[in-house]
Amino acid sequence: MTDGAAAGVDLPRLRELNSLTIVRALRDHPPSTVTELSQRTGLSRPAVDLIAQNLVADGWATVIEAGSSSAVGRPARRYQFRSTAGYVLGVDVGVHKVLALVADLSGEVLHSHRASVAADADPAARLAALDEAIQECLAATKKKPADVWAVTIGVTGPVDSSGRTTLFTPIPGWGQVDLPTHLAGHFSCPIIVENDCKLAALAERWKGAASDASDIIYLLAGMRTGAGLILDGILRRGYGGAAGEIGALKQVRWLAAPGHLQNCPGVPESVSPDDAAAWVFDAARHGDRAAKTAVSRYVKDLAVGAAALILALDPQVVIYGGGFSRSADLVLAPLTTELQRLCLRVPEVRASTLGADSVALGAIRLALNELDDRLFSTTLSSPAAPTVR
């Protein structure tokens, strides 16, 4: 230690880095003893013992006392990352709904709230639904805005550096909505706005059908078709946030693809335009000829844009998600067949396993990533000590 000091080592910074090392080791593993942490991090056992005690005092870890044992000697205590040191919010602001989730620092969702919104709702009404969903989540978990360490909002359309969807969005008036400024009146933590397709891709790699892959194309399939891209394990946004928006090119036919379902002959007048696709998928499942033709035409158009992305990126897997993924049993096989006709190499095509929660879950993951970057990479700010009840 004397030699290190003489060489100019910043001892407080070294202790900080060692603390970060222990925090990461605790976050990624079950409760651990000092010996296990020492082996995992390469730090000496005395150093780990001191750091772990300090982390408990600072609110980053808790102690799990060993139960009774027949072994000779005192059982070793175990340390656990205190995932309730802070919380994150993930919100999906869609055309028809607002879904909010609140989670702890381990990503465990503690509460969710979904509010329906009219497709033609103006920005004020949609923002009111957003505020209501967030407040309901906080009230249900008895948390205050100060307890939230990061907020991510998923929106429809490419997101620029200001958090706006100025290039395109199907939500009326939403292009000029400044979400970071709106939420800054409630939260002092980082507020991130991101495209829904990109967040859904993150969620599928985190907890869904692409957890074993690092190169992923996520297809958000619904009345709007979009894509989220993860390459080498990294979410790709592009220079202006518009990566994956290949559907803007009319020649790939994504803009027209859902119309085959919406305009299928035989859809009853009592079925709303928003529910027409579900009716067609169900009718096709039961052998209706017109419905089967509509699904086939939809898949052929979907395949054109998907093939363009596959040829450009050569992913390991393609995830078929979004609202239409509930009918993946009718889509995956013919989509794979079409891709085999169009592509040099066809990746495995899988159905989403997260359904309608994928965007909000991806928002949780991105919020946690933001905390990793801000708190667990360069410095370790002490959270408030836990309240004893």
Side-chain angles (χ1 to χ4, degrees), residues 86-223:
Y87 300 88
V88 296
L89 279 167
V91 187
D92 174 12
V93 179
V95 175
H96 298 283
K97 60 100 172 36
V98 173
L99 172 63
L101 307 178
V102 60
D104 63 19
L105 298 184
S106 70
E108 180 181 355
V109 175
L110 306 178
H111 188 75
S112 67
H113 180 75
R114 184 186 303 267
S116 296
V117 183
D120 60 353
D122 61 22
R126 207 172 296 273
L127 287 172
L130 167 66
D131 293 342
E132 175 195 345
I134 289 175
Q135 291 305 315
E136 203 281 339
C137 279
L138 294 179
T141 54
K142 299 181 180 179
K143 306 304 174 194
K144 300 177 181 178
D147 297 322
V148 177
W149 288 11
V151 178
T152 300
I153 312 292
V155 297
T156 301
V159 177
D160 63 22
S161 59
S162 71
R164 294 181 173 91
T165 53
T166 54
L167 294 178
F168 164 77
T169 177
I171 299 178
W174 200 252
Q176 299 306 312
V177 171
D178 186 350
L179 275 174
T181 298
H182 174 77
L183 291 174
H186 305 281
F187 300 98
S188 59
C189 63
I191 298 168
I192 312 157
V193 184
E194 187 53 274
N195 168 259
D196 52 3
C197 299
K198 294 176 175 61
L199 293 178
L202 268 183
E204 292 292 344
R205 185 168 190 261
W206 180 33
K207 289 190 173 184
S211 58
D212 61 340
S214 295
D215 295 279
I216 303 155
I217 292 175
Y218 174 88
L219 301 179
L220 190 147
M223 294 314 298

Side-chain angles (χ1 to χ4, degrees), residues 8 10 13 35 38 53 86 92 110 131 143 170 193 211 222 280 286 301 319 322 345 349 370:
D10 185 343
R13 179 57 180 158
T35 299
S38 175
Q53 292 181 48
D92 174 12
L110 306 178
D131 293 342
K143 306 304 174 194
V193 184
S211 58
V280 172
H286 290 87
D301 282 358
I319 303 299
R345 188 195 73 82
V349 182
E370 175 70 11

Side-chain angles (χ1 to χ4, degrees), residues 161-347:
S161 59
S162 71
R164 294 181 173 91
T165 53
T166 54
L167 294 178
F168 164 77
T169 177
I171 299 178
W174 200 252
Q176 299 306 312
V177 171
D178 186 350
L179 275 174
T181 298
H182 174 77
L183 291 174
H186 305 281
F187 300 98
S188 59
C189 63
I191 298 168
I192 312 157
V193 184
E194 187 53 274
N195 168 259
D196 52 3
C197 299
K198 294 176 175 61
L199 293 178
L202 268 183
E204 292 292 344
R205 185 168 190 261
W206 180 33
K207 289 190 173 184
S211 58
D212 61 340
S214 295
D215 295 279
I216 303 155
I217 292 175
Y218 174 88
L219 301 179
L220 190 147
M223 294 314 298
R224 178 184 67 90
T225 308
L229 313 175
I230 294 179
L231 301 176
D232 298 324
I234 299 172
L235 180 68
R236 302 297 179 176
R237 303 190 70 259
Y239 179 79
E245 296 290 340
I246 197 170
L249 186 64
K250 293 181 179 179
Q251 288 83 347
V252 304
R253 306 209 296 261
W254 273 10
L255 290 174
H260 295 300
L261 305 172
Q262 200 166 24
N263 302 317
C264 175
V267 177
E269 292 183 2
S270 59
V271 176
S272 71
D274 293 331
D275 296 328
W279 186 94
V280 172
F281 279 125
D282 188 60
R285 196 174 284 109
H286 290 87
D288 183 274
R289 180 174 297 181
K292 290 172 68 176
T293 298
V295 171
S296 176
R297 289 173 176 170
Y298 162 74
V299 171
K300 287 180 183 293
D301 282 358
L302 178 67
V304 176
L309 289 171
I310 290 168
L311 287 168
L313 303 175
D314 189 27
Q316 180 180 346
V317 297
V318 172
I319 303 299
Y320 181 70
F324 289 0
S325 66
R326 291 187 292 269
S327 298
D329 58 308
L330 298 175
V331 174
L332 294 195
L335 177 58
T336 301
T337 298
E338 284 297 309
L339 293 176
Q340 288 170 343
R341 186 175 64 84
L342 297 170
C343 298
L344 296 175
R345 188 195 73 82
V346 179

Side-chain angles (χ1 to χ4, degrees), residues 24-40:
R24 293 192 194 98
L26 288 172
R27 286 188 78 199
D28 299 335
H29 294 85
S32 305
T33 65
V34 167
T35 299
E36 291 167 342
L37 289 170
S38 175
Q39 294 171 346
R40 196 175 298 146

